[in-house]
């Protein structure tokens, strides 16, 4: 793999608190770099055998005691970063951890940047880029399914799939270029059935990996859903029904919800970012006006709007009024609530705008709504083989697949072997961006800056 030159020149020692902020039983200072062992020994008085925990007293550079805990030494290259790594496991109070970190910095380390430990692991070939990103995804996972998918990618399963696809492209490109370079051979590669078979296999592999990556992206990013509608339509009751607990206050008083109420829930592993909003109506109440303004702002950013109407109202008129007021900028599902008051059965009606008939109070039809939400975003429950993926992975896969399809078109329409080989090369480059074998300093900066300090 090629690595940006500026990163290769870094030979300093970095340190950071590796545990979350706040109080806890244990707090960890992580140190990585050429001076890590020296700094650890200076502050603790010991340098343990590799991967053996030793109890020691921690002090500052003047010998004043600060804390007591465990010291662990991971000599490079057999460490997370590939460098010498020291971990000081002390007590998890913010003051004592800060004092210990300041002593480490005074002893010659500098404060690590966001994601710098993972970045060094990537630069030292301990991880590829998808594995490094999977670390952050595992930390940030919002459901058990998302955590399993991130762990699979951390173990290298996503990278393995990408590498297999690159190898298939390389084999095809080599075959095409060999036929171009040796035209006197008694082989017409343009009509070779083996070439057609390889193209078909690549087509299936692209489609399968893209579908798998899309599901992984949905597991990671989820879906933003805004619940909107007139006062007393049952918006807060629907939020409670989806969440499975009393997340919102529900009363018979119109306009109970004045501000935005956000809840994150999961449907078969799909994270839903659900926002309950103030009732949409004409009002002179300044607080309610602000709540309605915020509701409309969230509607503009949502992946889908659930527009509630009361089943006992003038249904067609209410729906028309709400849709006219909201517009068509985002996908909308009409939720006809309170069907229990009419004795009606829950159901889904397809059309220009899908309607789901439910009772948020009794829960009737809420499962239909859950299935509808999964279907409208293309999510399918995934098993233990799911992979964590990001939007940049989907973009690189899409570009790689587009170049591959253009290569096939050059062969089928123009019998242009040279142009086919060139498009296959572009496809390889696009896929190499996923694992970091082909990329830029700017890309790495954007990725690792989103990591937490100490990771």
């Amino acid at each position: 793999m090629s690595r940006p030159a500026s990163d290769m020149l870094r030979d300093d020692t970095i340190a950071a608190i590796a545990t979350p902020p706040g109080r806890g039983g244990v707090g960890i200072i992580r140190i990585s770099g050429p001076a890590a062992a020296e700094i650890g020994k200076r502050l603790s008085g010991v340098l343990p055998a590799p991967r053996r925990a030793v109890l020691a007293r921690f002090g500052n550079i003047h010998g004043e005691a600060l804390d007591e805990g465990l010291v662990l030494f991971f000599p490079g290259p057999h460490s997370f970063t590939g460098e010498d790594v020291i971990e000081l496991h002390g007590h998890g109070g913010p003051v004592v951890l800060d004092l210990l970190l300041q002593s480490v910095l005074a002893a010659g380390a500098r404060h690590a940047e966001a994601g710098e430990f993972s970045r060094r692991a990537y630069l030292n070939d301990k991880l590829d880029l998808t594995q490094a990103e999977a670390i952050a995804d595992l930390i940030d996972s919002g459901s058990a399914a998302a955590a399993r998918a991130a762990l699979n990618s951390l173990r290298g399963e996503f990278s393995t799939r990408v590498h297999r696809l690159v190898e298939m492209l390389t084999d095809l490109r080599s075959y095409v270029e060999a036929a171009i370079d040796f035209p006197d051979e008694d082989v017409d590669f343009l009509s070779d059935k083996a070439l057609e078979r390889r193209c078909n296999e690549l087509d299936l592999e692209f489609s399968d990996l893209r579908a798998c990556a899309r599901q992984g992206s949905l597991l990671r990013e989820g879906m933003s859903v805004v619940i909107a509608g007139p006062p007393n339509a049952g918006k807060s009751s629907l939020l409670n029904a989806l969440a499975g607990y009393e997340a919102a206050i529900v009363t018979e008083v119109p306009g109970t919800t004045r501000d935005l109420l956000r809840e994150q829930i999961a449907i078969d592993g799909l994270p839903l970012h659900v926002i309950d909003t103030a009732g949409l109506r004409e009002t002179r109440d300044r607080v309610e006006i602000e709540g309605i303004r915020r509701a409309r702002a969230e509607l503009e950013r949502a992946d889908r709007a659930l527009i509630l109407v009361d089943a006992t109202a003038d249904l067609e008129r209410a729906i028309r009024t709400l849709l006219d007021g909201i517009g068509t900028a985002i996908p909308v599902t009409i939720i006809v609530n309170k069907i229990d008051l009419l004795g009606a059965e829950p159901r889904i009606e397809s059309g220009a705008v899908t309607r789901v008939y439910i009772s948020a109070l009794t829960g009737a039809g809420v499962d239909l709504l859950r299935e509808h939400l999964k279907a409208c975003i293309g999510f399918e429950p995934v098993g233990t083989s799911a992979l964590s993926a990001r939007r940049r992975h989907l973009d690189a896969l899409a570009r790689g697949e587009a170049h591959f399809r253009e290569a096939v078109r050059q062969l089928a329409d123009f019998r242009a072997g040279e142009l086919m080989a060139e498009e296959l090369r572009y496809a390889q480059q696009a896929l190499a961006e996923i694992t970091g074998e082909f990329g830029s300093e700017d890309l790495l900066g954007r990725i690792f800056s989103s990591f937490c300090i100490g990771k």
Side-chain angles (χ1 to χ4, degrees), residues 299-375:
L299 281 168
E300 294 177 0
R301 294 191 288 265
D303 294 319
R304 180 160 292 267
L306 302 182
I307 307 301
L308 265 71
V309 293
D310 191 328
T312 64
D314 184 345
L315 203 56
E316 300 306 322
R317 179 181 178 184
I319 292 174
R320 186 166 57 251
T321 300
L322 285 167
L323 291 181
D324 288 345
I326 292 172
T328 58
I330 62 168
V332 169
T333 298
I334 298 295
I335 309 298
V336 182
N337 190 28
K338 304 185 182 181
I339 60 171
D340 55 300
L341 299 179
L342 301 177
E345 293 296 320
R347 65 186 188 277
I348 292 181
E349 290 181 355
S350 300
V353 179
T354 300
R355 299 184 186 186
V356 184
Y357 291 75
I358 72 164
S359 170
L361 180 64
T362 67
V366 174
D367 284 342
L368 290 177
L369 175 58
R370 291 190 178 102
E371 293 302 317
H372 167 71
L373 289 173
K374 289 191 296 182

Side-chain angles (χ1 to χ4, degrees), residues 94-109:
V95 174
V96 69
L97 277 176
D98 185 65
L99 287 173
L100 188 53
L101 177 61
Q102 294 307 317
S103 297
V104 171
L105 300 181

Side-chain angles (χ1 to χ4, degrees), residues 162-198:
V162 172
H163 287 146
R164 182 164 69 240
L165 195 53
V166 171
E167 287 174 7
M168 292 173 70
L169 285 168
T170 302
D171 288 344
L172 179 59
R173 180 181 164 196
S174 299
Y175 182 79
V176 172
E177 290 183 344
I180 295 171
D181 291 341
F182 300 99
D184 295 333
E185 295 291 329
D186 189 20
V187 176
D188 181 8
F189 85 96
L190 295 178
S191 59
D192 191 348
K193 289 295 183 182
L195 183 62
E196 181 180 352
R197 176 179 53 79
R198 293 185 186 192

Side-chain angles (χ1 to χ4, degrees), residues 64-75:
E64 299 169 342
L66 298 176
D67 196 7
E68 188 176 81
L70 299 177
V71 185
L72 289 96
F73 176 44
F74 304 92

Side-chain angles (χ1 to χ4, degrees), residues 48-326:
R51 292 168 292 282
R52 295 286 297 273
V54 172
L55 180 65
R57 180 170 296 176
F58 306 146
N60 59 22
I61 58 175
H62 304 297
E64 299 169 342
L66 298 176
D67 196 7
E68 188 176 81
L70 299 177
V71 185
L72 289 96
F73 176 44
F74 304 92
H78 305 295
S79 69
F80 173 70
T81 61
E83 306 170 332
D84 285 353
V85 172
I86 286 282
E87 289 186 357
L88 305 177
H89 294 225
H91 293 92
V95 174
V96 69
L97 277 176
D98 185 65
L99 287 173
L100 188 53
L101 177 61
Q102 294 307 317
S103 297
V104 171
L105 300 181
R110 67 166 174 82
H111 201 290
E113 301 172 1
E116 191 168 3
F117 290 95
S118 297
R119 183 166 183 158
R120 290 191 175 199
Y122 162 71
L123 293 170
N124 290 324
D125 290 331
K126 305 298 290 185
L127 302 167
D128 65 30
L129 207 48
T130 56
Q131 290 175 298
E133 289 169 303
I135 294 172
D137 294 344
L138 184 59
I139 293 170
D140 295 335
S141 54
S143 68
R148 286 194 296 268
L151 183 59
N152 288 339
S153 290
L154 178 58
R155 289 171 173 169
E157 293 181 19
F158 189 16
S159 306
T160 299
R161 293 285 303 273
V162 172
H163 287 146
R164 182 164 69 240
L165 195 53
V166 171
E167 287 174 7
M168 292 173 70
L169 285 168
T170 302
D171 288 344
L172 179 59
R173 180 181 164 196
S174 299
Y175 182 79
V176 172
E177 290 183 344
I180 295 171
D181 291 341
F182 300 99
D184 295 333
E185 295 291 329
D186 189 20
V187 176
D188 181 8
F189 85 96
L190 295 178
S191 59
D192 191 348
K193 289 295 183 182
L195 183 62
E196 181 180 352
R197 176 179 53 79
R198 293 185 186 192
C199 289
N200 290 336
E201 290 174 351
L202 267 164
D203 183 69
L204 290 174
E205 189 68 22
F206 263 116
S207 297
D208 186 56
L209 183 55
R210 180 165 42 82
C212 186
R214 173 170 169 72
Q215 295 301 308
S217 178
L218 291 175
L219 279 174
R220 177 180 179 271
E221 299 180 9
M223 179 183 186
S224 175
V225 176
V226 171
I227 303 174
N232 250 22
K235 299 183 297 298
S236 295
S237 296
L238 177 58
L239 173 62
N240 291 342
L242 288 171
Y245 54 87
E246 298 295 317
I249 298 173
V250 177
T251 74
E252 295 179 356
V253 179
T256 301
T257 301
R258 298 293 188 96
D259 204 348
L260 304 175
L261 181 59
R262 304 173 187 270
E263 286 293 320
Q264 181 162 323
I265 63 178
I267 300 177
D268 292 339
L270 170 66
L272 280 188
H273 312 287
V274 187
I275 304 172
D276 183 20
T277 62
L280 303 177
R281 65 173 175 179
E282 295 295 330
T283 179
R284 294 184 179 182
D285 186 307
R286 292 177 59 187
V287 176
E288 200 170 352
I289 289 173
E290 175 60 19
I292 293 171
R293 185 195 67 78
R294 295 185 182 188
R296 294 190 180 281
E298 288 298 330
L299 281 168
E300 294 177 0
R301 294 191 288 265
D303 294 319
R304 180 160 292 267
L306 302 182
I307 307 301
L308 265 71
V309 293
D310 191 328
T312 64
D314 184 345
L315 203 56
E316 300 306 322
R317 179 181 178 184
I319 292 174
R320 186 166 57 251
T321 300
L322 285 167
L323 291 181
D324 288 345
I326 292 172

Side-chain angles (χ1 to χ4, degrees), residues 395-411:
D395 174 66
L397 277 172
R399 285 186 285 112
E401 187 173 15
H403 284 300
F404 164 69
R405 296 197 184 284
E406 178 61 21
V408 173
R409 190 182 75 86
Q410 291 293 338
L411 172 65

